[in-house]
Amino acid sequence: MTTNGSADHLITSLEALERLYDEPNPNSLLKEIDHVNAHYRAFIEAAPFVMLASVGPEGLDASPRGDAPGFVRVADEKTLLIPDRRGNNRIDTLKNIVRDPRVSLLFLIPGIGETLRINGRAAISADPALCESFAVAGKLPRSVLVVTVDRVYFQCQKALVRSKLWAPESRIERSALPSTGSMIAALSQGAVDGEAYDRAYPERLKQTIY
């Protein structure tokens, strides 16, 4: 058994790829539109979580974004607003967007099988009034992403059904995986005290969540 498949069977052209698969389901094409309609808006406003993908000279990035449902604001049928909440200040996504505005969004709603996908272009705004409109407990985001929508479509349930993502029996205890502190300790070759890191993290999270 090979670990990555035989080179003789690699798909290296669109023609070969299209021969491998059937014609697209007509409904999969019908559901793609170039704006946020009322149904798609309902999904966005119910979603507490979105994956944000971007691309730049150094490569690709996919960043999780989450907050209370509705944190991604639908300004109009062609425009979304996403606050850039406090993070680790790597700002990989923002660095990408400054140089290449293309982004892709994947919205997830707990308990819902369908996901919503949006492709578009983003700009970064530090407008004080716009940032103020996203304040939580008096704390403002440093910037807001202004996303111009190019394509919107929903994805069927198959992936989430296969993965049983929302099923209670799929949940595992956090202790079943390496702790954040233990990973940092290993990566720093012991320069960081992993146990101390883990002990301090709950309070640090509380103080830096916004």
Side-chain angles (χ1 to χ4, degrees), residues 77-157:
E77 66 176 15
K78 293 290 288 183
T79 311
L80 304 180
L81 303 173
I82 308 174
D84 189 58
R85 297 296 184 197
R86 189 169 178 176
N88 56 22
N89 292 323
R90 283 182 55 117
I91 57 174
D92 295 318
T93 299
L94 303 184
K95 289 176 181 176
N96 282 347
I97 289 171
V98 164
R99 296 170 292 178
D100 187 329
R102 292 176 296 168
V103 294
S104 186
L105 306 173
L106 176 67
F107 290 88
L108 290 163
I109 304 170
I112 302 298
E114 293 84 5
T115 58
L116 188 71
R117 298 170 64 173
I118 293 181
N119 294 332
R121 292 155 288 123
I124 304 168
S125 174
D127 179 87
L130 183 57
C131 292
E132 175 67 34
S133 73
F134 283 98
V136 173
K139 296 182 179 180
L140 282 60
R142 293 282 183 88
S143 64
V144 174
L145 295 181
V146 181
V147 178
T148 299
V149 173
D150 291 330
R151 293 189 293 151
V152 190
Y153 52 103
F154 73 88
Q155 193 80 32
C156 74
Q157 299 186 27

Side-chain angles (χ1 to χ4, degrees), residues 5-123:
S6 168
D8 295 335
H9 296 283
L10 291 177
I11 304 300
T12 58
S13 70
L14 289 178
E15 292 78 10
L17 182 63
E18 289 169 351
R19 285 196 301 269
L20 187 63
Y21 287 88
D22 296 330
E23 290 293 318
N25 183 313
N27 288 335
S28 72
L29 303 177
L30 177 68
K31 64 189 179 184
E32 180 180 330
I33 57 178
D34 65 357
H35 62 284
V36 178
N37 64 11
H39 291 150
Y40 289 167
R41 180 174 187 143
F43 268 77
I44 294 168
E45 293 180 341
F49 183 86
V50 63
M51 288 297 301
L52 170 58
S54 61
V55 60
E58 291 82 22
L60 304 173
D61 183 70
S63 175
R65 304 296 168 105
D67 210 332
F71 80 99
V72 176
R73 185 181 301 166
V74 182
D76 57 55
E77 66 176 15
K78 293 290 288 183
T79 311
L80 304 180
L81 303 173
I82 308 174
D84 189 58
R85 297 296 184 197
R86 189 169 178 176
N88 56 22
N89 292 323
R90 283 182 55 117
I91 57 174
D92 295 318
T93 299
L94 303 184
K95 289 176 181 176
N96 282 347
I97 289 171
V98 164
R99 296 170 292 178
D100 187 329
R102 292 176 296 168
V103 294
S104 186
L105 306 173
L106 176 67
F107 290 88
L108 290 163
I109 304 170
I112 302 298
E114 293 84 5
T115 58
L116 188 71
R117 298 170 64 173
I118 293 181
N119 294 332
R121 292 155 288 123

